[in-house]
Amino acid sequence: MVDLAGVAPLSALTPILAACAVSAWALARGWRGRPRWPFYRPVALLLSWALATALSRGAIQHWILNPARAAIGEEAPYSGGARAWYLVELAVRLSWPFAILAATLAVFRRRRPWWLVGAWAVTAAALCWSYPEVRRELQWHIEAGVASACWTGSAWAVWRWYAGDESAPVAAHTTMMLVLAAQLSVIAVTLWSGAPAEHWTSARVTHGVMYAAVLAYQARKLWGRTDGS
């Protein structure tokens, strides 16, 4: 059996993420004669983005940033090519809370929030431009604030649907609630801790449990009911 935790940029979570993305697209596009679930497409896109960002960030960290950090020490900022790749990794990392908000608005409010691409680009550009003056604790707190703001926007969208929308709940609602629950846990326990790197194991466990639940839920839908509820 292959130890995925030791094969960069893979981790034990990678095959779960991949299975989540594949099963989500199977639900969205139809599978073996099942009806298509177009309402599930935002979920499929979000889970695919989760897999893509996990793989890209893992590769950058393993092959570029970790060796650079070992060479310059824990306190020094990145420079040269390592700095450029760190800023790429930072921008990719910042995309996740915006992606969750976009998917939530699409699922619960039936919106196409393309403006969030611009919001993410401006936020990422500002943090990248301010590096290395803004880094470590201050940068972590800014990222925690951004993630909290996006989660609050997602919670608002869920509340608006719950309080005033007459549409019946569908599978996409359940999946997004699992994603939002995991994100809230990461924000509270990891991002606002002041030292996310020291608490990232807890975040990985939370994500692992959430994605496993998403996978189990989607698998049940693939082999169970076909009405979307």
Side-chain angles (χ1 to χ4, degrees), residues 19-127:
C20 283
V22 170
S23 56
W25 281 112
L27 288 170
R29 299 183 63 84
W31 179 74
R32 297 183 63 180
R34 292 177 56 89
R36 294 186 176 214
W37 282 1
F39 60 81
Y40 212 79
R41 190 169 181 268
V43 176
L45 288 169
L46 180 67
L47 294 174
S48 298
W49 187 246
L51 176 62
T53 56
L55 289 173
S56 60
R57 290 185 60 205
I60 293 171
Q61 290 169 359
H62 182 82
W63 282 307
I64 300 173
L65 300 184
N66 290 347
R69 178 57 63 198
I72 65 177
E74 291 297 323
E75 299 298 325
Y78 293 108
S79 60
R83 174 176 174 172
W85 280 108
Y86 172 74
L87 297 181
V88 170
E89 194 270 344
L90 172 61
V92 172
R93 186 168 73 236
L94 279 171
S95 71
W96 181 239
F98 288 99
I100 292 177
L101 177 55
T104 306
L105 289 172
V107 169
F108 286 91
R109 302 297 299 159
R110 297 182 293 279
R111 302 287 192 269
R112 293 184 177 181
W114 291 108
W115 59 271
L116 283 172
V117 176
W120 160 73
V122 170
T123 304
L127 270 182

Side-chain angles (χ1 to χ4, degrees), residues 36 38 53 58 88 115 120 126 135 148 154 157 166 170 176 178 183 186 193 214 218 220:
R36 294 186 176 214
T53 56
V88 170
W115 59 271
W120 160 73
R135 66 188 187 99
S148 299
S154 298
E166 296 181 356
V170 293
M176 287 307 305
L178 290 171
Q183 180 71 351
V186 170
S193 67
V214 168
Q218 291 181 163
R220 185 169 69 88

